[in-house]
């Protein structure tokens, strides 16, 4: 993993409640770089997050909302956060439901910049 | 789109895999290219060609793995403009099967690979217990091949 990407993922993982974060290829849904807790199935999260991001992009385009900048999915047992990044990548973070989303988003935006 | 099978135990895992992965074409075959189940093919000639080529790719990548000191390679993936293919072996109690998946832009290699793992596990769970297989005899070969094609294409 490139040191810049590694540092960016490390910063996200320092946010309390984060279970893991990854760079995912947006078109392919495969993991490019990751820093995950052992219990997280990175392959599954990457594939499903990329699929979700693509569907939301389609919905945003269809409604004239423009480019998607950030995606947040709150569920009973976890939160999935997705930020588009340059080079057709996504920054994907899986966290506890009570995670500080603002701080996560800030670090994820920095991670997206690191991929440029 | 039609799903047809020669081995009935492959049908439920295959239909589940197709529904989940949004694959367009799927072939389940032996490493020799004998088709056990398929989804999405309308013509026998296309299916037989794809099966033969898929089996050949798996055989040559196995030989390449051997040359570089690997026991086996994982899945092969080729991306095109409109279609991608995923080709992988699935290890079963009675030997390996080869599974070729063709998918379009409506899904992704990540999803196909994720659901492929579940498909392989479902096939292993559904496979009948090990049994003695009779030798393939020249006099039966033509009839068995014809029977397989009839099962797959109903003619």
């Amino acid at each position: 993993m490139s040191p810049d990407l590694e540092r960016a993922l490390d910063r996200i993982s320092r946010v309390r409640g984060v279970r893991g974060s990854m760079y995912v290829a947006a078109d392919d849904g495969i993991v490019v770089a990751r820093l995950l807790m052992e219990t997280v199935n990175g392959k599954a999260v990457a594939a499903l997050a990329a699929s979700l991001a693509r569907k939301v992009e389609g919905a945003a385009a269809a409604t004239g909302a423009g480019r998607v900048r950030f995606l947040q999915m709150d569920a009973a047992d976890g939160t999935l956060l997705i930020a588009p990044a340059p080079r057709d990548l996504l920054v994907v973070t899986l966290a506890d439901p009570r995670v500080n989303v603002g701080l996560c988003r800030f670090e994820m935006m920095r991670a997206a910049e690191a991929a440029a | 789109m039609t799903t047809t099978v020669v081995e009935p135990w492959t049908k439920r895992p295959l239909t589940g895999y197709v529904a989940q992965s949004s694959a367009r074409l799927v072939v389940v075959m032996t490493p020799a290219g004998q088709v056990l189940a398929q989804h999405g093919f309308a013509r026998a000639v296309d299916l037989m060609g794809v099966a033969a080529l898929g089996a050949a790719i798996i055989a040559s990548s196995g030989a390449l793995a051997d040359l570089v000191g690997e026991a086996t390679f994982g899945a092969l993936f080729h991306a095109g403009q409109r279609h991608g293919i995923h080709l992988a072996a699935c290890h079963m109690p009675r030997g390996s099967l080869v599974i070729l998946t063709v998918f379009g832009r409506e899904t992704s290699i990540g999803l196909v690979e994720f659901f492929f793992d579940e498909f392989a596990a479902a096939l292993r769970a559904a496979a009948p217990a090990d049994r003695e297989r009779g030798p393939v005899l020249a006099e039966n070969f033509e009839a068995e091949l014809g029977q397989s094609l009839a099962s797959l294409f109903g003619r």
Side-chain angles (χ1 to χ4, degrees):
Chain A
M1 196 193 316
S2 109
D4 286 349
L5 300 189
E6 195 172 358
R7 265 195 299 275
L9 293 181
D10 185 55
R11 276 197 300 266
I12 298 171
S13 72
R14 286 170 193 272
V15 177
R16 187 185 294 270
V18 167
R19 296 176 194 162
S21 57
M22 294 177 280
Y23 286 98
V24 174
D27 281 344
D28 298 336
I30 51 178
V31 179
V32 173
R34 66 181 168 187
L35 192 59
L36 300 169
M37 283 185 180
E38 274 183 20
T39 50
V40 177
N41 181 346
K43 198 165 154 181
V45 173
L48 298 170
S51 173
L52 181 66
R54 191 152 31 157
K55 285 181 171 63
V56 173
E57 286 276 359
T63 55
R67 199 174 66 85
V68 174
R69 289 191 297 216
F70 193 73
L71 253 169
Q72 176 180 345
M73 188 192 78
D74 287 324
D77 298 323
T79 299
L80 180 69
L81 305 169
I82 304 169
R87 297 167 162 194
D88 287 329
L89 291 175
L90 300 169
V91 181
V92 176
T93 298
L94 193 66
D96 294 340
R98 300 175 68 85
V99 71
N100 181 337
V101 174
L103 189 52
C104 258
R105 179 178 173 153
F106 175 71
E107 293 297 352
M108 288 171 72
M109 292 305 177
R110 287 177 68 177
E113 280 173 21
Chain B
M1 284 289 181
T2 54
T3 299
T4 46
V5 300
V6 176
E7 298 274 351
W9 55 270
T10 59
K11 185 155 193 176
R12 186 186 286 262
L14 176 59
T15 50
Y17 175 55
V18 168
Q20 289 177 312
S21 67
S22 301
R24 292 187 182 179
L25 305 171
V26 182
V27 188
V28 181
M29 59 191 151
T30 65
Q34 185 187 4
V35 177
L36 302 186
Q38 70 87 17
H39 168 83
F41 285 88
R43 298 194 317 158
V45 65
D46 296 337
L47 175 60
M48 294 306 141
V50 166
L53 292 170
I57 293 168
I58 282 285
S60 52
S61 77
L64 193 60
D66 205 29
L67 280 176
V68 299
E70 279 290 325
T72 177
F73 285 135
L76 288 168
F77 162 56
H78 291 292
Q81 287 294 321
R82 290 180 300 120
H83 296 97
I85 66 166
H86 177 272
L87 183 65
C90 168
H91 302 289
M92 306 287 290
R94 285 158 58 185
S96 289
L97 292 179
V98 174
I99 297 164
L100 174 71
T101 306
V102 179
F103 57 94
R105 302 276 306 164
E106 63 277 11
T107 186
S108 67
I109 180 61
L111 280 177
V112 168
E113 197 162 67
F114 172 60
F115 289 116
F116 177 84
D117 291 345
E118 290 187 359
F119 178 39
L123 279 176
R124 276 191 288 273
D130 202 5
R131 68 169 188 248
E132 195 72 26
R133 295 191 71 172
V136 178
L137 303 173
E139 59 264 35
N140 299 339
F141 178 77
E142 188 73 25
E144 282 183 12
L145 182 63
Q147 217 168 30
S148 298
L149 288 171
S151 303
L152 288 167
F153 292 98
R155 43 182 104 115

